[in-house]
Amino acid sequence: MKSIIVYTDFRRAFDSVSHKRLLLKLANLGINDSLCRWIEAFLIARQQRVKIKGKCSSWADVLSGVPQGSVLGPLLFVIYINDINKDMETQTFLYADDMKICRVIKSNDDRLTLQRDLGSVARWTERWGLSLNLSKCGILSIGHQGEEKIFYDIPIGGDKQRLNNIKSEKDLGVLVDEELEFETHIAV
């Protein structure tokens, strides 16, 4: 028996949120029309430019995303992804743009369920216009490290992308390793 934690990372998470789809989700949650219009005014018709060494680029329209550094940005992002686990059997934890998928593996059925749930995540991201940064996603196996590593894949665009097995991961500021020991965290 071992526990598997899948750490995910969304590519350009806050920048990729579709305004139209977010407003649809807010309306489906029962948010009243006047608040939805206020949020729409907060999101729509924004512009940005880049300033480097005193020189500025032209203004460009912001067509998607929630404003980073705002109080509402993380809340709107969480509302946007809150249903990502709707079709999953495996436990998930969402915190801002981080998602952990956790499952105790006691049998091959558990392994297959986790693999199926990773497919559900991939389908959800495609449907809602987000993508995973697979180079920053990883599988942490906790317990019985002498056992053979099990590999998991994320189906992206018809191809299966192998997730990396990792030995440790920084989880909300704490370095978690395969043995649940804190020597690595303390050393950092």
Side-chain angles (χ1 to χ4, degrees):
M1 177 174 76
K2 66 171 67 180
S3 295
I4 301 291
I5 303 173
V6 181
Y7 288 93
T8 65
D9 183 77
F10 293 101
R11 178 176 281 120
R12 298 178 37 120
F14 286 84
D15 297 332
S16 301
V17 172
S18 162
H19 295 156
K20 184 177 177 180
R21 292 175 179 181
L22 173 60
L23 293 168
L24 174 69
K25 285 188 176 213
L26 291 169
N28 287 340
L29 286 172
I31 305 295
N32 71 41
D33 288 343
S34 61
L35 184 54
C36 281
R37 284 193 306 276
W38 183 86
I39 292 171
E40 181 178 22
F42 175 70
L43 295 172
I44 306 296
R46 295 176 85 86
Q47 291 190 318
Q48 66 184 10
R49 68 180 180 173
V50 177
K51 183 176 181 180
I52 300 174
K53 295 183 180 180
K55 299 199 183 237
C56 295
S57 68
S58 301
W59 286 99
D61 293 329
V62 177
L63 304 175
S64 65
V66 293
Q68 296 180 44
S70 69
V71 173
L72 277 181
L75 175 64
L76 293 173
F77 183 78
V78 168
I79 289 170
Y80 192 73
I81 67 166
N82 195 45
D83 62 346
I84 193 169
N85 58 2
K86 183 180 81 168
D87 297 325
M88 294 174 59
E89 295 179 51
T90 303
Q91 190 171 25
T92 59
F93 298 94
L94 300 171
Y95 181 77
D97 62 339
D98 293 323
M99 179 175 66
K100 290 182 288 201
I101 305 166
C102 305
R103 187 164 193 91
V104 174
I105 306 297
K106 297 178 184 174
S107 67
N108 194 49
D109 285 344
D110 291 326
R111 189 187 69 72
L112 293 172
T113 299
L114 178 55
Q115 183 59 65
R116 196 170 42 251
D117 288 343
L118 291 172
S120 177
V121 168
R123 287 187 299 280
W124 186 95
T125 58
E126 287 178 16
R127 185 177 329 125
W128 291 99
L130 294 180
S131 61
L132 293 172
N133 184 350
L134 295 177
S135 67
K136 292 185 178 180
C137 295
I139 305 282
L140 182 65
S141 299
I142 298 173
H144 301 285
Q145 297 314 315
E147 293 179 17
E148 178 182 326
K149 293 274 187 204
I150 299 172
F151 295 95
Y152 294 92
D153 301 308
I154 293 270
I156 303 289
D159 293 328
K160 290 183 179 180
Q161 302 291 323
R162 172 82 24 107
L163 292 174
N164 295 322
N165 281 301
I166 56 177
K167 293 191 177 292
S168 64
E169 179 70 20
K170 196 166 221 174
D171 191 336
L172 299 177
V174 176
L175 198 58
V176 178
D177 69 19
E178 319 176 278
E179 298 293 331
L180 292 180
E181 294 177 352
F182 290 98
E183 282 81 10
T184 309
H185 177 73
I186 294 166
V188 176

